[in-house]
Amino acid sequence: MDRVPEPELMESAEQARVYAEADFSESNSLFVQLFRHHFPLLAPRHVLDLGCGPADICIRFAENYPDAEVTGVDGAEAMLVFARDAISQSPAGKRIRLLRNHIQHVNADKYDVIISNSLLHHLADPHDLWRAVRRLAEPGAAIVIMDLMRPSSEAEVESIVATYASDEPEALRRDFYNSLCAAFTVSEVSKQLSANDLTELSVEAVSDRHLLVYGQLEISSEF
Ligand SMILES: C[S@@+](CC[C@H](N)C(=O)[O-])C[C@H]1O[C@@H](n2cnc3c(N)ncnc32)[C@H](O)[C@@H]1O
């Protein structure tokens, strides 16, 4: 099945509300578990979450890693409204800052950890994510990026939506369907990593609908 791209930013207030109110606790806690699994001894200091949306993963990171300062970046003000509210309710919220910006334009600081969940499939040009990783990562940085994985047929997309979202509102089911169609395959992501000279990162399927990119950049890399 060919990829069908979707818009980058989630700028509609209604789309952001439906997304922010949905329960992603299973996949978001899987994200933190996978990070710990791949970097069991790491104590993150400066964490960057690209396409942070309502900041649930920023909050989980700040709560799990008491020494971490977490920066979440998202281009959609509609999402950041929900992110600010969620952060204000977390005891770890003081260690989280939010930037409203396109990931393509973030260029200030460097980070020892870069994370991202469910952003890649939104990008018109997937290389924008890998260029941001190269630009913003310190040498030796830990990278963990999770995204949906494109199924091989529309029938499989429908089956995944029915399995995991049958009780969700129609708007969320439609978003999920479109996101699966916009996602990349493991083989496509592997080619993206090679094209961006990020072959120290690995990519693999971690569920029937998610893929994970993980690894540590070379200490000697010059960015
Ligand atoms: C599906 S949401 C994922 C949010 C969050 N990472 C999570 O796991 O819940 C994707 C987010 O990426 C943001 N986004 C998409 N393209 C972006 C870009 N080029 N720069 C910054 N943010 C972007 C969208 O606005 C949206 O909030």
Side-chain angles (χ1 to χ4, degrees), residues 1 19 26 41-42 52 86 107 111 130 134-135 144 149-150 203 209:
M1 186 179 103
Y19 188 89
E26 189 188 326
L41 302 177
L42 191 73
C52 65
N107 206 8
Y111 297 85
W130 310 118
R134 289 188 58 83
R135 199 169 63 243
V144 173
M149 190 166 62
R150 191 170 76 253
V203 52
R209 61 204 186 284

Side-chain angles (χ1 to χ4, degrees), residues 8-10 19 24 28 49-54 57 73-76 79 101-104 117-119 121-123:
E8 290 209 349
L9 301 185
M10 295 174 72
Y19 188 89
F24 290 112
N28 290 357
D49 182 355
L50 293 168
C52 65
I57 290 182
V73 178
D74 203 289
M79 275 293 190
N101 207 346
H102 288 74
I103 63 148
Q104 292 88 337
N117 183 52
S118 270
L119 167 70
H121 71 267
H122 277 276
L123 299 176

